[in-house]
Amino acid sequence: MSNIAILAGDGIGPEVMTEAKKVLNTIAEQFNITINTKDYDVGGAAIDRHGNALPEATMQGCQQADAILFGSVGGPKWASLPPTEQPERCALLGLRGHFDLFCNMRPATLQPALSSLSTLRSDISEQGFDVLIIRELTGDIYFGEPKGRKGEGDDETGFDSMFYSRREIKRIAHLAFQAAQKRNNKVTSVDKANVLATSQLWRQVVEEVAVDYPQVTLEHLYVDNAAMQLVRDPNQFDVMLCPNLFGDILSDICAMITGSMGLLPSASLNADGFGMYEPAGGSAPDIAGKGIANPIAQILSAALMLRYSLNQDNAAQCIENAVASALDKGILTADLLPAEQKHNAKSTSEVGDYICQTI
Amino acid sequence: MSNIAILAGDGIGPEVMTEAKKVLNTIAEQFNITINTKDYDVGGAAIDRHGNALPEATMQGCQQADAILFGSVGGPKWASLPPTEQPERCALLGLRGHFDLFCNMRPATLQPALSSLSTLRSDISEQGFDVLIIRELTGDIYFGEPKGRKGEGDDETGFDSMFYSRREIKRIAHLAFQAAQKRNNKVTSVDKANVLATSQLWRQVVEEVAVDYPQVTLEHLYVDNAAMQLVRDPNQFDVMLCPNLFGDILSDICAMITGSMGLLPSASLNADGFGMYEPAGGSAPDIAGKGIANPIAQILSAALMLRYSLNQDNAAQCIENAVASALDKGILTADLLPAEQKHNAKSTSEVGDYICQTI
Ligand SMILES: CC(C)[C@H](C(=O)O)[C@@H](O)C(=O)O
Ligand SMILES: CC(C)[C@H](C(=O)O)[C@@H](O)C(=O)O
């Protein structure tokens, strides 16, 4: 029996989560597994109801669960809060930090059939690409202390601290190489070793870890070059191993150049296989409540949850196959259709229904 | 009389610099100004000859000059040096730090006529774009102390310090707003204020400075979103104001999506109008010595030098017009031509000659 904490959040979060829950129910029946889901408030909705984007009850619910299925948080209503109080930051950094979710996996795939959605030139996008970004998620300048302000007047200074320990780099690097072994045996490690001491240690430790994986090719790219290469020829990459800050930027570029962010799930794991699963896209308040949001990223996030936290690889694969079938058969929400075909768009729940039927 | 320190460097540096010098000679005659140029070693060439990418004699030569015209440095020969000893880092950070070149201006323009070169989808690139990145160049995590390593074994840590003072943010922000006033009156300030205390100060000071420029629209974007927006719709931007590290990444994305990095100059200025001028692209060792490199970025860098450090706006404009004419008339090196037209390519010196004749 598995307990899942459902944190649907704001914007399109609740409506795409409804579809993911339908899919989880269907798969549970099909595979004869017991999945208990329980809903908790998070994000702007939680600020409104409890004055806090990540209430204690939500934390406790997550603590008791085997995994967290997360929707999306944030919206214009909370955008004028000070940056540090905003739903995205509070909810995400709070959960990542508390559960030590150091391994963030963001796959970005562009299937040739959907290549026209990509924002890249057609001769580049037609080749498709399949990049897995492995982003370290609990270290780097995100959590480094000291962080703050000091001084007055023109001398007032804002400061943050970047650091990584050898231990932190090792554990994420091993996961990147292991992922590459199941894919195309290539790891591109991203750093800024020509400027940052943190990156010099990063590069050195990644090289040391690479020795254990002789069949995997390792290359190092400076982050500025990595960003350029992604918009020039993403097909050259397999696994990209990134420190937290650079991974934030590169994974968003990677998601954008697929042109179909509504398809991209992500997983954030700790050392015990506990994880939080969420779509790559945001809460999209502009289309919330209209029943047109793409539920697939949320559904594929549930599939990753089955694979990584519940050890149900077959069930995960079954969901992924049903999604592939929906894409194949053109059961698509509007975001995946060119302007002149938008009238053929399916609704959020129609896509969810199709996937449930296909399972 | 103006003295220019010429630092041609490695790879294609010397050959494109030859064309820039030809252009400077022509313009000097035409506008009746005296420009003395003197060559100094830098980069890999300087490592080979003096054991140091930025020899003392070069520093002194720059010190005595009114401006530095820089080519490009680095190449495979020096790529296995430790990151901190590599030509790019030593030469560039050394010069930036020593001369307090805090204001880096990287214009990236995609002319509709060259839109097919862009790596973006044709309906995006056909709109063209004209983005000026103003990157702070002497602060941030690049120069922040402490920076280093401590501890042993798995506890060994690499660390860097990010900070900005109100003074540093003010001076670069003013320059961004002033640049926007001469353009399309829009500044997009880039930060990561939802995570970094440095960014929170950055955002606050930029807002304070904005009050002096009521006709300029200010928006703030998180760096991850800015990177996405650049590959989705670059045409929405006018001036992008960036801290050092984020500017490094975004300016390279911006250069790449023009598809014609060989056209992009840059300027790095201090408070006295002293500056260093260099092409956006690198030393391109793969095509060095073949006479096929595009000299235009170097020539336009010389034009920016005339404008910003020598106060010769008319001369600068004259060079820019001659370059525009070359592009118009199809006097193009191979990098600007589609595969099936590469046989029409002009050589490095033919392009330089055409520009000199047109001046
Ligand atoms: C909201 C923000 C703190 C977060 C991050 O920077 O990690 C987000 O951009 C992400 O990538 O999940
Ligand atoms: C070589 C390196 C130190 C430099 C930087 O990061 O600033 C380069 O990438 C640049 O953008 O000029």
Side-chain angles (χ1 to χ4, degrees), chain A residues 192 194-195 224, chain B residues 88-89 92-93 96 106 135 137 142 244 248 251-252 278:
Chain A
K192 186 76 190 174
N194 51 353
V195 172
D224 45 333
Chain B
E88 295 87 338
R89 176 212 161 106
L92 294 175
L93 296 195
R96 291 173 190 170
R106 304 199 180 185
R135 170 185 174 197
L137 204 58
Y142 272 66
N244 203 348
D248 177 44
S251 63
D252 272 353
E278 57 174 318

Side-chain angles (χ1 to χ4, degrees), chain B residues 218-232:
Chain B
L218 168 64
E219 70 174 6
H220 302 279
L221 286 186
Y222 296 137
V223 59
D224 45 336
N225 191 14
M228 282 202 284
Q229 295 306 322
L230 268 178
V231 297
R232 194 186 72 83

Side-chain angles (χ1 to χ4, degrees), chain A residues 89 160 166 192 198 248, chain B residues 156 160 192 194 198 248:
Chain A
R89 176 213 161 105
D160 294 271
R166 180 178 287 272
K192 186 76 190 174
T198 309
D248 177 44
Chain B
E156 189 184 3
D160 294 270
K192 186 78 191 175
N194 50 354
T198 309
D248 177 44

Side-chain angles (χ1 to χ4, degrees), chain A residues 193-206:
Chain A
N194 51 353
V195 172
L196 304 176
T198 309
S199 283
Q200 283 148 30
L201 181 63
W202 176 278
R203 190 175 277 222
Q204 185 183 322
V205 175
V206 172

Side-chain angles (χ1 to χ4, degrees), chain A residues 12-194:
Chain A
I12 60 169
E15 55 201 285
V16 295
M17 192 62 88
T18 300
E19 304 312 311
K21 283 196 211 165
K22 269 171 31 187
V23 169
L24 278 176
N25 285 335
T26 311
I27 211 85
E29 241 175 69
Q30 195 78 295
F31 282 78
N32 208 6
I33 44 187
T34 311
I35 299 179
N36 292 326
T37 63
K38 202 159 166 202
D39 293 284
Y40 298 95
D41 290 330
V42 74
I47 294 179
D48 289 352
R49 256 176 264 166
H50 317 276
N52 177 351
L54 190 59
E56 188 48 37
T58 300
M59 276 304 232
Q60 275 173 15
C62 293
Q63 194 87 50
Q64 284 150 20
D66 299 298
I68 305 167
L69 191 59
F70 191 95
S72 52
V73 294
K77 186 166 174 196
W78 310 279
S80 51
L81 289 174
T84 47
E85 285 170 34
Q86 287 183 11
E88 295 87 338
R89 176 213 161 105
C90 286
L92 294 174
L93 297 196
L95 289 165
R96 291 172 191 171
H98 182 82
F99 292 102
D100 195 21
L101 306 172
F102 70 94
C103 176
N104 182 219
M105 310 191 22
R106 304 199 181 186
T109 313
L110 176 62
Q111 276 137 11
L114 292 173
S115 73
S116 64
L117 294 169
S118 169
T119 62
L120 296 181
R121 203 173 61 206
S122 54
D123 60 315
I124 304 173
S125 61
E126 273 157 15
Q127 298 174 43
F129 58 82
D130 180 3
V131 181
L132 173 62
I133 300 217
I134 304 244
R135 170 185 173 196
E136 201 291 330
L137 204 59
T138 50
D140 202 345
I141 201 160
Y142 272 65
F143 291 87
E145 294 287 344
K147 175 192 272 298
R149 298 247 198 131
K150 59 170 183 251
E152 300 222 338
D154 275 358
D155 290 325
E156 189 184 2
T157 302
F159 55 92
D160 294 271
S161 304
M162 176 181 281
F163 56 77
Y164 268 120
S165 70
R166 180 178 287 272
R167 181 178 295 106
E168 288 174 302
I169 303 167
K170 255 190 191 169
R171 66 177 181 174
I172 191 74
H174 276 291
L175 295 179
F177 282 97
Q178 285 159 17
Q181 280 183 320
K182 296 193 195 142
R183 295 169 44 99
N184 294 312
N185 282 309
K186 183 173 169 193
V187 169
T188 302
S189 173
V190 175
D191 65 40
K192 186 76 190 174
N194 51 353

